[in-house]
């Protein structure tokens, strides 16, 4: 029934947009015509770009919560990724002279520390051989990735990519800390998630002040765009899908890949069983603790990609004033996850809906209507509330938020 409601809502929205565009084409001098004039390929590209941090937060939240761990610290993880990316990029690039060595060393040190933490927590295996192979393999993979980046990109672009990798690993480290607190020490997951958010919300602007003397950073180079030859020349979709920022491509790959992993692989089955019936999973011989750690780490990695993609994708700086440049996108990601009913495709669609409304409110401000900008800015949030009210309640995993101990009777 809820799926029918979601499809009906999607169909109604599509028909409404189509009607506005059609009326606008027929009567260009009307308000509908002015509104239709902003619904161009540039608007579509902007909506897809704005969806990146929201959708990655939603995908990460799906993995964590379907495993039984409620991670509402996604907003904080986005902030960590956004700040770290800019800070490392500024450190490696400096005032114009690029120094890749420190960034690569930092990347490898963080990867090694994560491997050591995984070994201490028993996440890499039970034997020394398993720990050495998996931990060393992970560090080696990071080293190879860094080497390929330096070989394929110029010094400045390589430094920005190294900063992006570091941001993803640091966000993963924060999520690992959250996992330790909630899984090992059985802390309340909601309170721990709020703590991650509040720590990031305070620490990032403070660190910005220490580094740059302001809560806002100076500008750094971005990741640029990837243009696919020939395909980028296609009408309508070419400039939207095939001439975009790298993180947009990552999102378009991560969404179907997440669906495949969750629905078609053994690991996905373990994640879902961990959130629905962890006792049965434990009885089948699968370590519930390891599955939950892996799922929470995935949420941290995805959030790191979303946060670093936000700051290094096109903006090229970190804004730490107010609620920072993340500005509630992690919370909207949680809403998109619920609206999508823990389905990656549904979460992506919900993220794109909010991002499209967010992009629309920017365009509406350019039309100079006699409507206060503050009122126009509320359009995305009001729409999300209305959508949630129409769709109804989403069923959460049965064991979400519950601690599990395999030693329990």
């Amino acid at each position: 029934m809820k799926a029918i409601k979601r499809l009906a809502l999607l169909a109604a929205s599509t028909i409404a947009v189509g009607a506005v565009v059609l009326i606008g084409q027929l009567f260009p001098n009307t308000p509908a015509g002015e509104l239709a004039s902003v619904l161009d390929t540039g608007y579509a590209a902007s909506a897809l770009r704005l969806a990146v941090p929201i959708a990655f937060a939603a995908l990460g939240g799906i993995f964590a919560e379907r495993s039984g761990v409620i991670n509402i610290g996604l907003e904080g993880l986005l902030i960590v990724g956004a700040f770290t990316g800019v800070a490392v990029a500024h450190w490696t690039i400096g005032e114009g002279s690029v120094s890749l060595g420190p960034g690569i060393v930092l990347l490898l040190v963080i990867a090694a520390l994560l491997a050591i933490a995984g070994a201490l927590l028993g996440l890499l295996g039970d034997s020394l051989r398993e720990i050495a192979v998996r931990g060393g393999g992970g560090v080696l993979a990071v080293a190879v990735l860094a080497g390929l980046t330096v070989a394929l990109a110029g010094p400045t672009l390589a430094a920005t990519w190294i900063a992006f990798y570091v941001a993803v690993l640091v966000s993963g480290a924060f999520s690992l800390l959250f996992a330790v607190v909630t899984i090992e020490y059985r802390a309340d997951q909601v309170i721990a998630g709020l703590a991650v958010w509040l720590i990031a919300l305070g620490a990032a602007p403070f660190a910005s002040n220490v580094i740059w003397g302001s809560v806002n950073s100076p500008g750094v180079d971005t990741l640029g765009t990837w243009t696919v030859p020939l395909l980028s020349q296609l009408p309508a979709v070419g400039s939207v899908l095939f001439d975009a920022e790298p993180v947009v491509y990552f999102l378009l790959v991560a969404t179907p890949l997440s669906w495949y992993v969750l629905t078609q692989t053994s690991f996905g089955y373990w994640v879902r069983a961990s959130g629905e019936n962890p006792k049965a999973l434990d009885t089948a011989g699968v370590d519930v603790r390891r599955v939950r750690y892996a799922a929470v780490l995935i949420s941290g990695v995805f959030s790191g990609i979303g946060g670093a993609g936000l700051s290094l994708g096109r903006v090229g700086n970190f804004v730490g004033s107010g609620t920072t440049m993340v500005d509630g996108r992690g919370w909207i990601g949680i809403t998109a996850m619920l609206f999508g009913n823990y389905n990656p495709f549904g979460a992506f669609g919900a993220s794109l809906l909010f991002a499209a409304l967010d992009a629309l409110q920017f365009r509406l401000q350019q039309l100079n209507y006699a409507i206060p900008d503050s009122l126009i800015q509320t359009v995305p949030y009001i729409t999300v509330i209305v959508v949630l009210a129409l769709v109804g309640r989403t069923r959460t995993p049965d064991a979400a938020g519950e601690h599990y101990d395999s030693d329990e009777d």
Side-chain angles (χ1 to χ4, degrees), residues 106-156:
L106 178 61
L107 179 67
L108 295 178
V109 167
I110 295 174
L113 290 175
L114 285 172
I116 292 171
L120 293 175
L121 292 169
L123 304 179
L124 300 181
D126 299 319
S127 68
L128 289 176
R129 184 176 181 277
E130 286 179 327
I131 293 173
V133 170
R134 293 174 182 173
V139 176
L140 180 61
V142 172
V144 170
L145 181 61
L148 287 174
T149 300
V150 174
L152 296 176
T156 302

Side-chain angles (χ1 to χ4, degrees), residues 220-290:
V220 297
D221 289 321
T222 65
L223 298 173
T225 59
W226 286 352
T227 302
V228 181
L230 298 179
L231 293 179
S232 60
Q233 304 302 318
L234 292 174
V237 299
S239 60
V240 177
L241 297 179
F242 304 108
D243 186 16
E245 299 165 12
V247 286
V248 171
Y249 293 106
F250 293 167
L251 176 60
L252 296 178
V253 172
T255 300
L257 182 62
S258 297
W259 175 86
Y260 178 81
V261 169
L262 283 170
T263 61
Q264 306 296 319
T265 67
S266 297
F267 175 72
Y269 170 78
W270 296 343
V271 169
R272 290 181 283 122
S274 176
E276 296 289 351
N277 193 342
K279 183 64 177 177
L281 184 63
D282 189 24
T283 303
V286 178
D287 192 332
V288 174
R289 174 174 160 275
R290 289 185 183 178

Side-chain angles (χ1 to χ4, degrees), residues 23 36 49 51 154 194 202 224 243 253 283 296 307 316 327 340 347 350 384 396:
I23 294 173
R49 183 174 65 251
L194 287 173
D243 186 16
V253 172
T283 303
V296 174
D327 196 24
V384 167
T396 59

Side-chain angles (χ1 to χ4, degrees), residues 42-54 245 247-248 251 309-310 313-315 329 352 355:
Y43 167 75
S46 177
L48 189 58
R49 183 174 65 251
L50 290 173
V52 167
I54 300 172
E245 299 165 12
V247 286
V248 171
L251 176 60
L310 177 64
R314 177 162 297 199
V315 180
R329 287 175 172 84
L352 190 58

Side-chain angles (χ1 to χ4, degrees), residues 19-397:
V20 169
V21 172
L22 179 60
I23 294 173
Q25 293 294 328
L26 295 175
F27 306 99
N29 295 324
T30 63
E34 294 181 349
L35 182 59
S37 67
V38 306
L39 301 179
D40 53 12
T41 56
Y43 167 75
S46 177
L48 189 58
R49 183 174 65 251
L50 290 173
V52 167
I54 300 172
F56 269 116
L59 293 176
I62 289 173
F63 274 94
E65 195 151 333
R66 295 207 75 167
S67 75
V69 180
I70 300 174
N71 186 2
I72 67 168
L74 299 172
E75 175 86 359
L77 296 177
L78 287 177
I79 295 173
V80 169
F83 167 76
T84 304
V86 173
V88 176
H90 183 267
W91 179 47
T92 55
I93 297 174
E95 299 298 329
S97 60
V98 180
S99 178
L100 293 174
I104 294 175
V105 170
L106 178 61
L107 179 67
L108 295 178
V109 167
I110 295 174
L113 290 175
L114 285 172
I116 292 171
L120 293 175
L121 292 169
L123 304 179
L124 300 181
D126 299 319
S127 68
L128 289 176
R129 184 176 181 277
E130 286 179 327
I131 293 173
V133 170
R134 293 174 182 173
V139 176
L140 180 61
V142 172
V144 170
L145 181 61
L148 287 174
T149 300
V150 174
L152 296 176
T156 302
L157 184 57
T160 306
W161 274 107
I162 296 298
F164 178 83
Y165 301 151
V166 172
V168 173
L169 289 184
V170 170
S171 180
F174 266 77
S175 69
L176 179 62
L177 179 62
F178 166 78
V180 170
V181 170
T182 54
I183 297 173
E184 296 294 325
Y185 296 100
R186 304 170 67 87
D188 184 278
Q189 295 172 4
V190 174
I191 294 176
L194 287 173
V196 170
W197 167 53
L198 291 173
I199 290 172
L201 186 62
F206 173 77
S208 295
N209 253 319
V210 171
I211 298 172
W212 301 298
S214 170
V215 294
N216 302 328
S217 77
V220 297
D221 289 321
T222 65
L223 298 173
T225 59
W226 286 352
T227 302
V228 181
L230 298 179
L231 293 179
S232 60
Q233 304 302 318
L234 292 174
V237 299
S239 60
V240 177
L241 297 179
F242 304 108
D243 186 16
E245 299 165 12
V247 286
V248 171
Y249 293 106
F250 293 167
L251 176 60
L252 296 178
V253 172
T255 300
L257 182 62
S258 297
W259 175 86
Y260 178 81
V261 169
L262 283 170
T263 61
Q264 306 296 319
T265 67
S266 297
F267 175 72
Y269 170 78
W270 296 343
V271 169
R272 290 181 283 122
S274 176
E276 296 289 351
N277 193 342
K279 183 64 177 177
L281 184 63
D282 189 24
T283 303
V286 178
D287 192 332
V288 174
R289 174 174 160 275
R290 289 185 183 178
V291 171
R292 290 187 171 183
Y293 265 112
V296 174
L297 276 171
I298 290 173
S299 75
V301 169
F302 275 163
S303 297
I305 295 173
L310 177 64
S311 60
L312 295 177
R314 177 162 297 199
V315 180
N317 74 316
F318 174 76
V319 179
S321 56
T323 55
T324 75
M325 66 189 304
V326 174
D327 196 24
R329 287 175 172 84
W331 302 112
I332 297 299
I334 295 175
T335 303
M337 173 188 72
L338 296 174
F339 174 61
N341 199 25
Y342 300 97
N343 183 301
F345 287 113
F348 171 78
S351 301
L352 190 58
L353 169 64
F354 179 85
L357 292 168
D358 198 19
L360 181 61
Q361 61 98 359
F362 286 119
R363 294 296 183 98
L364 290 177
Q365 292 179 46
Q366 300 171 6
L367 295 179
N368 296 320
Y369 286 140
I371 303 175
D373 289 348
S374 57
L375 182 61
I376 294 176
Q377 291 168 5
T378 65
V379 169
Y381 302 95
I382 294 175
T383 304
V384 167
I385 294 173
V386 172
V387 167
L388 287 176
L390 292 175
V391 169
R393 185 183 175 193
T394 299
R395 178 189 172 277
T396 59

